[in-house]
Structure formats: structure tokens, C-alpha cells
Amino acid sequence: MRLNRILLSSALVVVALVIQVSVLARLHLPGAVPDLLLLTVLGLAMVYGHVGGALVGFGAGLLADLAPPADHAAGRYALVLCVTGYFAGLIRPENGRLKSATGPMAVVVAAAVGSTLLYAGVGALVGDTAARHVGLTGLLFSAALYDLLLAPFVVPGIMWLARRADNDPLADSGPAAKAGDISTGWLSSGTGLRIGSQRGGLGALKAKARTRSTRVGRIKGVKRL
């Protein structure tokens, strides 16, 4: 990974982890806890791709495993976020554009459910049966709901920051950049401005063609006289 990607990812992961531990974990919501760290990994993975997403996920998960008040085996959440970041990075389009928010929102729900199942599965392998006592169904539903509600306020901003720090031409200011920015898929379903400009260009070409044909007809008429 590039140096600017490493610095930005590290800063975002640390901030997300601090908010996760100091604020979200103390809300005492029913079921699961909103996973801000997971959303951060998803946002970066959908910009950096599957390799970058896996690396960011592993680092973020390992930091969460070692940070207090973690009470599980080290490496457990690192594995979960590494796998999640890898698969989330696979949906990154080649042209860097997402035309709607359907894809990213589906990724958030799938990641929330998948990470909860994987975390519970790894815990069962090491003898942690806490998910059985709490209720796995309630954890899955609450995790998907909380992350889905929090995602529109977190993921687009992270994707925008990742684009800016990556010096991507799509992140520059201007109408074309706004139409091509991957984070605009969360806020709009397409870019009609470009289609309109193309139609306007075709209309201008037709008008010029008509003007030229009229001039040619006039010249021919003069020659005939």
C-alpha cells in the first residue's frame, strides 16, 4: 500500500476504534453494538480494492483485539475483518463509479451479518459460546439494522477522504469529477447532466448542418440565375 493510504487508514481506524469503545459500546442498545470499525473498513475497501481492504481489515481487527476492554482471543476479530475487507473490495468498479446506493447498502448488510456469523463461528471453535446465550438471531438482526442506519453517515465520507488522499483524478473538483466520484452513488442514482450535455451537443451539430445546407442551397440558386 502507498504511504498516504497507510497514514489515512491508520488515522481513520484509530478514530473509529476510540469512538467505538468510548461511545457506541456504552449506549447499551439491545442486541449488538453498532460497528463503526466495520463500516470504516468497508468504506476503505470499496476504494482500495480487495487487497487493500484485506490489509486494512486485518490491521483494524488486530488493533481491536489488543485494545481494552477486549476479552477474546487475539487475532479473532482480525480474521473477521480481513475476510470482510477482502470481499467488500471485490465490488469496486473498474471505472470508479457507483450509480446507486443499492450495492453499497447491500454490502453493509451482508458484511454485518457475515462478520457476526464468522465471529460466532470462530468463537465456537475456540470454546466461546457467548453468542448462544445472547441469541444469534437477535444479534444478526440488530447488527444489520444498526450498521445500516449508521452507514450513510460514515461510509460516503470515508470513501471521499480515501479518494482525496489517493490523488485520484476522479476526486478533483468539477462537474465531471462529481459525476465520476464513487461516493456519489450513495446520494444519487445517475448523472443526467452528462446525458443532457450530449443531447445538447447533438442538437448543436444538427443546427450547424442545417445552416450549412441552407447556405449551399442559396449559393446554388444564385449560380442558376
Side-chain angles (χ1 to χ4, degrees):
M1 294 180 66
R2 302 174 184 175
L3 180 60
N4 53 352
R5 289 187 175 186
I6 296 175
L7 295 177
L8 178 64
S9 301
S10 301
L12 292 176
V13 165
V14 170
V15 172
L17 183 61
V18 171
I19 297 176
Q20 179 82 30
V21 174
S22 61
V23 179
L24 298 179
R26 298 184 180 183
L27 295 178
H28 301 291
L29 297 174
V33 176
D35 201 338
L36 183 61
L37 196 60
L38 174 65
L39 298 179
T40 302
V41 172
L42 292 179
L44 294 174
M46 285 188 284
V47 176
Y48 295 156
H50 59 283
V51 176
L55 294 175
V56 172
F58 178 80
L62 186 60
L63 185 62
D65 289 332
L66 300 177
D71 56 353
H72 55 268
R76 181 177 172 184
Y77 201 47
L79 174 62
V80 172
L81 288 186
C82 180
V83 175
T84 303
Y86 177 84
F87 284 104
L90 292 177
I91 73 161
R92 177 193 178 191
E94 294 296 332
N95 59 359
R97 298 174 185 174
L98 288 175
K99 295 183 178 181
S100 68
T102 305
M105 296 297 277
V107 171
V108 171
V109 175
V113 174
S115 61
T116 304
L117 288 175
L118 184 58
Y119 186 83
V122 175
L125 293 177
V126 297
D128 186 2
T129 58
R132 296 181 182 178
H133 301 290
V134 177
L136 185 58
T137 304
L139 285 177
L140 293 176
F141 177 77
S142 58
L145 178 61
Y146 296 154
D147 292 346
L148 191 61
L149 293 176
L150 188 61
F153 304 98
V154 177
V155 180
I158 291 177
M159 295 171 69
W160 181 83
L161 288 174
R163 284 290 185 192
R164 297 290 295 182
D166 207 24
N167 295 325
D168 195 317
L170 293 175
D172 296 336
S173 59
K178 292 180 181 179
D181 192 351
I182 191 173
S183 61
T184 57
W186 289 76
L187 303 177
S188 63
S189 59
T191 53
L193 293 178
R194 299 185 65 187
I195 297 175
S197 62
Q198 292 175 358
R199 291 177 179 174
L202 293 176
L205 291 176
K206 291 180 180 180
K208 291 181 180 179
R210 292 175 182 174
T211 303
R212 291 178 181 176
S213 62
T214 302
R215 291 178 179 176
V216 171
R218 290 178 179 176
I219 293 174
K220 291 181 177 179
V222 172
K223 288 182 177 180
R224 289 176 181 176
L225 292 176

PDB file of all heavy atoms in Angstrom, residues 97 99 175-176 178-180 184 188-196:
ATOM      1  N   ARG A  97     -17.043   4.176 -10.416  1.00  0.00           N
ATOM      2  CA  ARG A  97     -18.351   4.805 -10.305  1.00  0.00           C
ATOM      3  C   ARG A  97     -19.376   3.812  -9.794  1.00  0.00           C
ATOM      4  O   ARG A  97     -19.406   2.669 -10.211  1.00  0.00           O
ATOM      5  CB  ARG A  97     -18.813   5.341 -11.666  1.00  0.00           C
ATOM      6  CG  ARG A  97     -17.907   6.411 -12.235  1.00  0.00           C
ATOM      7  CD  ARG A  97     -18.343   6.783 -13.626  1.00  0.00           C
ATOM      8  NE  ARG A  97     -17.427   7.731 -14.249  1.00  0.00           N
ATOM      9  CZ  ARG A  97     -17.503   8.129 -15.495  1.00  0.00           C
ATOM     10  NH1 ARG A  97     -18.473   7.675 -16.270  1.00  0.00           N
ATOM     11  NH2 ARG A  97     -16.631   8.977 -15.991  1.00  0.00           N
ATOM     12  N   LYS A  99     -23.504   3.864  -9.519  1.00  0.00           N
ATOM     13  CA  LYS A  99     -24.631   4.676  -9.960  1.00  0.00           C
ATOM     14  C   LYS A  99     -25.742   4.769  -8.929  1.00  0.00           C
ATOM     15  O   LYS A  99     -26.601   5.626  -9.039  1.00  0.00           O
ATOM     16  CB  LYS A  99     -25.179   4.106 -11.270  1.00  0.00           C
ATOM     17  CG  LYS A  99     -24.199   4.202 -12.425  1.00  0.00           C
ATOM     18  CD  LYS A  99     -24.819   3.700 -13.709  1.00  0.00           C
ATOM     19  CE  LYS A  99     -23.852   3.849 -14.877  1.00  0.00           C
ATOM     20  NZ  LYS A  99     -24.436   3.378 -16.147  1.00  0.00           N
ATOM     21  N   PRO A 175     -17.688  19.340 -12.390  1.00  0.00           N
ATOM     22  CA  PRO A 175     -18.875  18.534 -12.683  1.00  0.00           C
ATOM     23  C   PRO A 175     -18.540  17.118 -13.089  1.00  0.00           C
ATOM     24  O   PRO A 175     -19.202  16.173 -12.685  1.00  0.00           O
ATOM     25  CB  PRO A 175     -19.547  19.303 -13.835  1.00  0.00           C
ATOM     26  CG  PRO A 175     -19.005  20.693 -13.748  1.00  0.00           C
ATOM     27  CD  PRO A 175     -17.623  20.556 -13.232  1.00  0.00           C
ATOM     28  N   ALA A 176     -17.502  16.917 -13.892  1.00  0.00           N
ATOM     29  CA  ALA A 176     -17.156  15.564 -14.323  1.00  0.00           C
ATOM     30  C   ALA A 176     -16.684  14.736 -13.152  1.00  0.00           C
ATOM     31  O   ALA A 176     -16.966  13.542 -13.056  1.00  0.00           O
ATOM     32  CB  ALA A 176     -16.074  15.620 -15.403  1.00  0.00           C
ATOM     33  N   LYS A 178     -17.595  15.144  -9.997  1.00  0.00           N
ATOM     34  CA  LYS A 178     -18.746  14.822  -9.163  1.00  0.00           C
ATOM     35  C   LYS A 178     -19.552  13.690  -9.759  1.00  0.00           C
ATOM     36  O   LYS A 178     -20.126  12.872  -9.037  1.00  0.00           O
ATOM     37  CB  LYS A 178     -19.630  16.063  -9.004  1.00  0.00           C
ATOM     38  CG  LYS A 178     -18.958  17.163  -8.188  1.00  0.00           C
ATOM     39  CD  LYS A 178     -19.863  18.363  -8.062  1.00  0.00           C
ATOM     40  CE  LYS A 178     -19.191  19.478  -7.255  1.00  0.00           C
ATOM     41  NZ  LYS A 178     -20.056  20.667  -7.154  1.00  0.00           N
ATOM     42  N   ALA A 179     -19.606  13.630 -11.086  1.00  0.00           N
ATOM     43  CA  ALA A 179     -20.340  12.546 -11.724  1.00  0.00           C
ATOM     44  C   ALA A 179     -19.601  11.231 -11.616  1.00  0.00           C
ATOM     45  O   ALA A 179     -20.207  10.173 -11.597  1.00  0.00           O
ATOM     46  CB  ALA A 179     -20.576  12.879 -13.200  1.00  0.00           C
ATOM     47  N   GLY A 180     -18.251  11.274 -11.530  1.00  0.00           N
ATOM     48  CA  GLY A 180     -17.478  10.053 -11.518  1.00  0.00           C
ATOM     49  C   GLY A 180     -17.076   9.588 -10.141  1.00  0.00           C
ATOM     50  O   GLY A 180     -16.535   8.503 -10.004  1.00  0.00           O
ATOM     51  N   THR A 184     -20.625   9.332  -4.764  1.00  0.00           N
ATOM     52  CA  THR A 184     -21.887   9.942  -5.159  1.00  0.00           C
ATOM     53  C   THR A 184     -22.967   8.913  -5.410  1.00  0.00           C
ATOM     54  O   THR A 184     -24.134   9.262  -5.528  1.00  0.00           O
ATOM     55  CB  THR A 184     -21.708  10.791  -6.422  1.00  0.00           C
ATOM     56  OG1 THR A 184     -21.179   9.956  -7.456  1.00  0.00           O
ATOM     57  CG2 THR A 184     -20.748  11.937  -6.184  1.00  0.00           C
ATOM     58  N   SER A 188     -27.160   9.758  -5.239  1.00  0.00           N
ATOM     59  CA  SER A 188     -27.909   9.931  -6.474  1.00  0.00           C
ATOM     60  C   SER A 188     -27.916   8.635  -7.245  1.00  0.00           C
ATOM     61  O   SER A 188     -27.131   7.742  -6.989  1.00  0.00           O
ATOM     62  CB  SER A 188     -27.293  11.045  -7.334  1.00  0.00           C
ATOM     63  OG  SER A 188     -25.985  10.685  -7.727  1.00  0.00           O
ATOM     64  N   SER A 189     -28.812   8.531  -8.198  1.00  0.00           N
ATOM     65  CA  SER A 189     -28.951   7.299  -8.979  1.00  0.00           C
ATOM     66  C   SER A 189     -28.386   7.434 -10.375  1.00  0.00           C
ATOM     67  O   SER A 189     -28.608   6.603 -11.224  1.00  0.00           O
ATOM     68  CB  SER A 189     -30.436   6.913  -9.078  1.00  0.00           C
ATOM     69  OG  SER A 189     -31.164   7.952  -9.697  1.00  0.00           O
ATOM     70  N   GLY A 190     -27.676   8.484 -10.670  1.00  0.00           N
ATOM     71  CA  GLY A 190     -27.099   8.634 -12.001  1.00  0.00           C
ATOM     72  C   GLY A 190     -26.704  10.066 -12.254  1.00  0.00           C
ATOM     73  O   GLY A 190     -26.871  10.929 -11.395  1.00  0.00           O
ATOM     74  N   THR A 191     -26.161  10.337 -13.406  1.00  0.00           N
ATOM     75  CA  THR A 191     -25.735  11.681 -13.759  1.00  0.00           C
ATOM     76  C   THR A 191     -26.405  12.077 -15.054  1.00  0.00           C
ATOM     77  O   THR A 191     -25.906  11.817 -16.142  1.00  0.00           O
ATOM     78  CB  THR A 191     -24.205  11.733 -13.928  1.00  0.00           C
ATOM     79  OG1 THR A 191     -23.831  10.710 -14.842  1.00  0.00           O
ATOM     80  CG2 THR A 191     -23.496  11.500 -12.607  1.00  0.00           C
ATOM     81  N   GLY A 192     -27.559  12.696 -14.946  1.00  0.00           N
ATOM     82  CA  GLY A 192     -28.276  13.150 -16.134  1.00  0.00           C
ATOM     83  C   GLY A 192     -27.622  14.342 -16.789  1.00  0.00           C
ATOM     84  O   GLY A 192     -27.934  14.680 -17.920  1.00  0.00           O
ATOM     85  N   LEU A 193     -26.704  15.021 -16.063  1.00  0.00           N
ATOM     86  CA  LEU A 193     -26.073  16.197 -16.623  1.00  0.00           C
ATOM     87  C   LEU A 193     -25.247  15.847 -17.857  1.00  0.00           C
ATOM     88  O   LEU A 193     -25.258  16.559 -18.842  1.00  0.00           O
ATOM     89  CB  LEU A 193     -25.172  16.849 -15.556  1.00  0.00           C
ATOM     90  CG  LEU A 193     -25.913  17.454 -14.365  1.00  0.00           C
ATOM     91  CD1 LEU A 193     -24.907  18.016 -13.372  1.00  0.00           C
ATOM     92  CD2 LEU A 193     -26.835  18.574 -14.833  1.00  0.00           C
ATOM     93  N   ARG A 194     -24.550  14.729 -17.794  1.00  0.00           N
ATOM     94  CA  ARG A 194     -23.716  14.347 -18.924  1.00  0.00           C
ATOM     95  C   ARG A 194     -24.574  13.955 -20.125  1.00  0.00           C
ATOM     96  O   ARG A 194     -24.254  14.266 -21.255  1.00  0.00           O
ATOM     97  CB  ARG A 194     -22.813  13.179 -18.533  1.00  0.00           C
ATOM     98  CG  ARG A 194     -21.866  13.517 -17.405  1.00  0.00           C
ATOM     99  CD  ARG A 194     -20.917  12.373 -17.139  1.00  0.00           C
ATOM    100  NE  ARG A 194     -20.047  12.172 -18.299  1.00  0.00           N
ATOM    101  CZ  ARG A 194     -19.213  11.151 -18.384  1.00  0.00           C
ATOM    102  NH1 ARG A 194     -19.168  10.232 -17.433  1.00  0.00           N
ATOM    103  NH2 ARG A 194     -18.432  11.027 -19.451  1.00  0.00           N
ATOM    104  N   ILE A 195     -25.672  13.276 -19.871  1.00  0.00           N
ATOM    105  CA  ILE A 195     -26.571  12.904 -20.967  1.00  0.00           C
ATOM    106  C   ILE A 195     -27.164  14.151 -21.596  1.00  0.00           C
ATOM    107  O   ILE A 195     -27.269  14.272 -22.808  1.00  0.00           O
ATOM    108  CB  ILE A 195     -27.675  11.975 -20.452  1.00  0.00           C
ATOM    109  CG1 ILE A 195     -27.040  10.686 -19.934  1.00  0.00           C
ATOM    110  CG2 ILE A 195     -28.684  11.667 -21.529  1.00  0.00           C
ATOM    111  CD1 ILE A 195     -28.043   9.745 -19.295  1.00  0.00           C
ATOM    112  N   GLY A 196     -27.556  15.109 -20.735  1.00  0.00           N
ATOM    113  CA  GLY A 196     -28.120  16.337 -21.253  1.00  0.00           C
ATOM    114  C   GLY A 196     -27.129  17.101 -22.098  1.00  0.00           C
ATOM    115  O   GLY A 196     -27.466  17.667 -23.133  1.00  0.00           O
TER     116      GLY A 196
END
